[in-house]
Amino acid sequence: MAMRVWASKSASYLKISVFNRGFATVLKDLKYADSHEWVKVEGSSATVGITDHAQDHLGDVVYVELPELGTAVTQGTSFGAVESVKATSDINSPVSGKVVEVNKELDESPGLVNGSPYEKGWIMKVELSNNDELKSLMDSDSYSKFCDEEDAKH
C-alpha cells in the first residue's frame, strides 16, 4: 500500500517538472538574435551566449568550440560551434567586434551551457565595434514571441 502512494507522488512530481521545462527562460535586460544567441551589453563590451531555448532544443551539450582571443567577429556570422548529443550547431555572433575574453570553463564543463545559459554558460566577450547593430536585435518580448512562432511551425 505504501509503495502505491509513493509511486503516485513520484508520477505527479515528474509531470510537474516536465511541464515546467516547456517554458524557456528569457531575461529582460538582454538582446536576442533570431539564431538564438543572447547579448548583454555593458559599456563597449558585450557578453554573448546561447539562449535557454537553444540549449533546450540542442539537448546535452558535450563540447563548445570557442573562438581565439583577438578574433574579429561579424554580426550574423559563425564564430564557433556547440556540439550536443543530438547535433553540432554553429554559433553566430549577434554583434561585430573583437573577442576579448572566452569562457575557458566550458572546456572542462560544456554542460554549463545547459544548466546556466545566461550566467555561468556564457561563451565570449566582445569589444563592440558598432553599437548601432544592437537596434537590429530583439528584446525579450519579441524573442519570446519569435520562439513561440518557430516552435508552432515544428
Side-chain angles (χ1 to χ4, degrees):
M1 185 66 179
M3 189 65 174
R4 217 178 277 149
V5 170
W6 179 85
S8 68
K9 278 186 179 169
S10 292
S12 65
Y13 170 74
L14 288 172
K15 274 187 204 142
I16 289 166
S17 65
V18 169
F19 176 75
N20 285 343
R21 190 65 201 116
F23 298 98
T25 304
V26 176
L27 300 187
K28 289 275 183 216
D29 61 340
L30 304 179
K31 293 284 192 179
Y32 299 88
D34 61 6
S35 50
H36 302 289
E37 293 85 16
W38 59 265
V39 60
K40 181 177 186 175
V41 178
E42 295 163 291
S44 64
S45 174
T47 304
V48 174
I50 66 167
T51 66
D52 189 33
H53 183 270
Q55 71 77 24
D56 190 38
H57 281 263
L58 281 168
D60 292 338
V61 173
V62 294
Y63 176 72
V64 180
E65 179 191 315
L66 298 169
E68 295 286 322
L69 286 178
T71 301
V73 292
T74 305
Q75 184 179 48
T77 60
S78 173
F79 68 83
V82 175
E83 189 178 322
S84 74
V85 292
K86 292 183 187 176
T88 299
S89 300
D90 283 345
I91 319 167
N92 295 326
S93 184
V95 292
S96 297
K98 185 173 79 173
V99 177
V100 293
E101 193 176 340
V102 294
N103 187 352
K104 288 288 188 193
E105 283 197 38
L106 297 178
D107 288 338
E108 298 292 319
S109 306
L112 289 171
V113 169
N114 295 115
S116 184
Y118 298 116
E119 285 148 10
K120 294 181 182 157
W122 62 275
I123 295 171
M124 69 174 178
K125 293 188 180 182
V126 174
E127 187 181 290
L128 293 169
S129 62
N130 184 355
N131 281 29
D132 284 348
E133 288 179 340
L134 298 170
K135 295 174 190 164
S136 68
L137 300 173
M138 290 179 265
D139 64 14
S140 57
D141 291 339
S142 299
Y143 180 68
S144 292
K145 188 172 183 241
F146 174 80
C147 290
D148 289 345
E149 288 168 1
E150 192 176 75
D151 286 349
K153 291 177 192 170
H154 295 290

